[in-house]
Amino acid sequence: MGTDVTILKSSDLPFARIELRSDGILTFEPDPGKLKDYTVPILEESLVALLEISEGIPRPYFCDNRYVLGILGAEEKKFIKAHFHKFVSCYAMAENSPITRFVANSFFKAFKDEIDMRMFKDKESGITWLKKKSESG
């Protein structure tokens, strides 16, 4: 089984990098120095890029939230719930802090039973899980 992955498409936002990998996984990696909280304007800008990169096809999605410190507000949760399914088939999140775990758990509750989501300590574990999810259909 080959492990070579290439980047098919990418987009650099002022606060993050989005990539579509050759294994079909869509990634969102915030710049730790520029993104500490998700706001509706950040989510709106991200959505445009994510839909373009994913070609509007729901894909396995990895997001590195290890350095995002804020808690999602009601408006951010509402926005995500309305749009997440447009580009995500399953979701892996890297996290390493109790605050981030709290944010993630509140986020996951908003999507209960709609999109399979898991938290991981690192990118490699999340990507491995996404690949298994993709292979199993």
Side-chain angles (χ1 to χ4, degrees), residues 98-136:
I99 293 171
T100 303
R101 281 192 291 273
F102 178 80
V103 170
N105 287 329
S106 66
F107 179 77
F108 291 172
K109 287 178 186 176
F111 292 97
K112 191 174 183 178
D113 300 325
E114 292 177 32
I115 297 173
D116 199 3
M117 301 181 184
R118 298 286 184 273
M119 289 189 294
F120 298 90
K121 294 284 182 188
D122 57 62
K123 181 177 181 176
E124 294 76 24
S125 300
I127 295 292
T128 298
W129 179 78
L130 288 170
K131 286 180 181 180
K132 287 179 184 173
K133 290 289 298 176
S134 296
E135 291 168 4
S136 67

Side-chain angles (χ1 to χ4, degrees), residues 15-19 25-38 50 61-69 84 91-97 100 103-104 108 118-127 130:
F15 48 82
R17 181 168 183 80
I18 299 169
E19 295 178 339
I25 295 173
L26 184 63
T27 64
F28 182 90
E29 299 200 43
D31 181 328
K34 296 180 181 175
L35 180 64
K36 299 294 184 192
D37 299 295
Y38 289 104
L50 286 160
Y61 178 66
F62 172 81
C63 183
D64 187 348
N65 277 344
R66 292 179 290 170
Y67 305 101
V68 177
L69 304 176
F84 206 58
Y91 176 48
M93 177 194 298
E95 55 77 26
N96 65 0
S97 76
T100 303
V103 170
F108 291 172
R118 298 286 184 273
M119 289 189 294
F120 298 90
K121 294 284 182 188
D122 57 62
K123 181 177 181 176
E124 294 76 24
S125 300
I127 295 292
L130 288 170

Side-chain angles (χ1 to χ4, degrees), residues 9-27:
K9 294 181 177 182
S10 66
S11 178
D12 288 315
L13 301 175
F15 48 82
R17 181 168 183 80
I18 299 169
E19 295 178 339
L20 177 59
R21 299 160 34 120
S22 58
D23 56 8
I25 295 173
L26 184 63
T27 64

Side-chain angles (χ1 to χ4, degrees), residues 13 15 38-51 79-80 83:
L13 301 175
F15 48 82
Y38 289 104
T39 62
V40 171
I42 285 172
L43 293 171
E44 288 171 338
E45 187 172 351
S46 299
L47 177 63
V48 171
L50 286 160
L51 288 173
F79 183 90
I80 291 168
H83 300 287

